[in-house]
């Protein structure tokens, strides 16, 4: 008998986490063998790890607060139904960001072992590759919006915010996969924390203005793109300084591309995502099968 209960999802997640932990312990069993070092060396390394780890932890918390403040502002300024419609796109965005952050772990050891004189050239190469992949992925917005409009017709009105979700993922992907990885490899954890704290303050100010002053839901959701764009550009500005590069033109191109995409998805009614056309398309496919 089928039971639609939350506790089964919780048990499944708990089982998967315990299984992955046990598998990780088995695969890394050679690292768990005790080794004895002088007490002074242990305390020095522990102090260094705690200092670096605390900065990274606070930077990650500040990064989560950026969109968390906007979500809280929407929940306080509008009713539960409106917040639920907006949360659909914000939930998908959060899922993609978690996946992107997990992938960034792979890049860190590669960049960490890289020679310092090669970092600037490799940064440009990786950045160009990311631009090609991420902006090509923006094309996926149109079929995804069409599918969600057919699958979740009750959320059709809120799918306009999908055009905001995709540029946010572009900026967050570049920040997580490339910029933050470079900053961590150069031991700039304190700089990461400062950038995220400044971004949180900007998010707080912008959310207050859009929610309390203008009380405009569209402007509040659009501000998410602006906040993430500000964070990404600020962080890349410091990378530009640390690696002695000139990325102003590249940053401007990114902003223009994302601005054009957001405007086209927000204001233009794309022919591939028209509700009647989507319904006819899926009806035809269902009839053919």
């Amino acid at each position: 008998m089928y039971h639609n209960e939350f506790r089964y999802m919780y048990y499944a997640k708990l089982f998967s986490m315990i299984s992955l932990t046990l598998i990780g312990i088995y695969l890394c069993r050679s690292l768990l063998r005790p080794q004895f070092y002088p007490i002074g060396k242990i305390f020095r390394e522990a102090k260094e790890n705690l200092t670096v780890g605390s900065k990274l932890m606070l930077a990650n918390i500040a990064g989560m607060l950026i969109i968390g403040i906007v979500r809280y502002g929407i929940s306080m300024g509008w009713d539960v139904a409106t917040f639920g419609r907006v949360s659909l796109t914000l939930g998908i965005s959060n899922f993609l960001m978690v996946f992107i952050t997990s992938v960034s772990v792979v890049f860190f050891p590669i960049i960490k072992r890289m020679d310092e004189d090669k970092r600037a050239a490799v940064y440009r190469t990786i950045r160009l590759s990311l631009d090609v992949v991420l902006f090509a992925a923006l094309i996926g917005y149109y079929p995804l919006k069409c599918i969600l409009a057919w699958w979740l017709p009750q959320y059709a009105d809120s799918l306009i915010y999908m055009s905001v979700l995709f540029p946010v993922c572009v900026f967050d992907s570049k920040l997580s996969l490339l910029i933050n990885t470079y900053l961590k490899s150069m031991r700039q954890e304190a700089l990461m924390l400062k950038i995220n704290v400044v971004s949180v303050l900007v998010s707080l100010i912008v959310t207050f203005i859009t929610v309390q002053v203008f009380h405009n839901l569209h402007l509040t959701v659009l501000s998410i793109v602006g906040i993430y764009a500000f964070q990404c550009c600020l962080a890349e500005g410091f990378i530009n300084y640390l690696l002695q590069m000139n990325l102003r033109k590249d940053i401007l191109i990114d902003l223009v591309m994302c601005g054009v995409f957001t405007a086209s998805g927000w204001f233009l009614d794309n022919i591939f995502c028209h509700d009647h056309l989507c319904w006819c398309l899926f009806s035809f496919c269902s009839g053919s099968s």
Side-chain angles (χ1 to χ4, degrees):
M1 184 176 179
Y2 176 72
H3 296 282
N4 188 13
E5 296 184 15
F6 174 78
R7 59 193 180 107
Y8 294 117
M9 299 175 62
Y10 176 79
Y11 294 152
K13 182 177 181 180
L14 183 63
F15 174 76
S16 63
M17 293 178 65
I18 294 176
S19 301
L20 289 175
T21 302
L22 294 176
I23 293 173
I25 291 174
Y26 174 76
L27 294 177
C28 301
R29 59 189 182 278
S30 60
L31 301 176
L32 301 178
R33 296 171 183 171
Q35 295 181 359
F36 299 96
Y37 297 96
I39 298 296
K41 183 178 180 180
I42 293 175
F43 278 108
R44 284 194 300 270
E45 185 172 354
K47 180 181 178 180
E48 182 180 356
N49 291 335
L50 287 173
T51 302
V52 174
S54 61
K55 292 176 182 177
L56 286 176
M57 181 188 68
L58 294 174
N60 291 331
I61 293 174
M64 290 186 291
L65 283 175
I66 294 174
I67 195 169
I69 290 173
V70 180
R71 291 175 66 106
Y72 181 75
I74 294 174
S75 67
M76 294 297 294
W78 288 270
D79 55 17
V80 177
T82 302
F83 177 74
R85 290 196 298 268
V86 177
S87 292
L88 172 67
T89 54
L90 293 180
I92 298 174
S93 176
N94 184 65
F95 169 77
L96 294 175
M97 290 176 187
V98 171
F99 172 75
I100 291 165
T101 304
S102 302
V103 175
S104 65
V105 177
V106 179
F107 286 89
F108 178 74
I110 299 174
I111 297 175
K112 183 68 177 178
R113 299 189 186 98
M114 192 182 303
D115 295 335
E116 293 186 4
D117 55 344
K118 296 180 180 179
R119 283 181 175 175
V122 174
Y123 182 91
R124 286 186 175 276
T125 303
I126 298 177
R127 191 186 191 283
L128 180 60
S129 302
L130 275 177
D131 283 342
V132 173
V133 173
L134 292 175
F135 286 117
L138 291 180
I139 302 174
Y141 158 77
Y142 299 104
L144 181 59
K145 181 182 177 183
C146 184
I147 293 171
L148 288 176
W150 170 80
W151 185 29
L152 302 170
Q154 66 272 27
Y155 288 94
D157 295 338
S158 64
L159 292 180
I160 189 175
Y161 303 128
M162 290 283 292
S163 61
V164 176
L165 178 149
F166 277 69
V168 165
C169 292
V170 169
F171 290 118
D172 190 71
S173 299
K174 193 169 296 183
L175 190 68
S176 300
L177 290 175
L178 184 60
I179 299 174
N180 284 347
T181 304
Y182 259 81
L183 290 176
K184 285 187 287 187
S185 68
M186 293 186 288
R187 304 309 300 267
Q188 296 291 335
E189 295 87 3
L191 180 58
M192 286 178 56
L193 177 59
K194 293 176 182 177
I195 292 171
N196 286 359
V197 169
V198 171
S199 301
V200 168
L201 295 176
V202 171
S203 176
L204 187 62
I205 295 171
V206 171
T207 302
F208 176 80
I209 294 174
T210 56
V211 175
Q212 298 296 330
V213 178
F214 294 104
H215 196 68
N216 189 312
L217 180 61
H218 293 342
L219 193 60
T220 303
V221 177
L222 282 171
S223 68
I224 299 175
V225 182
I227 295 168
Y228 274 94
F230 169 80
Q231 182 190 22
C232 183
C233 293
L234 180 63
E236 197 157 31
F238 283 104
I239 288 288
N240 186 45
Y241 172 77
L242 292 173
L243 296 180
Q244 299 297 315
M245 297 185 298
N246 186 7
L247 299 171
R248 294 185 182 90
K249 183 178 179 181
D250 303 277
I251 295 173
L252 181 60
I253 292 174
D254 291 348
L255 294 175
V256 171
M257 291 285 289
C258 288
V260 170
F261 173 82
T262 303
S264 64
W266 191 272
F267 296 108
L268 300 180
D269 186 16
N270 189 275
I271 187 173
F272 295 108
C273 295
H274 194 275
D275 292 343
H276 178 69
L277 184 61
C278 287
W279 176 256
C280 293
L281 178 61
F282 282 103
S283 298
F284 174 78
C285 293
S286 300
S288 299
S289 59

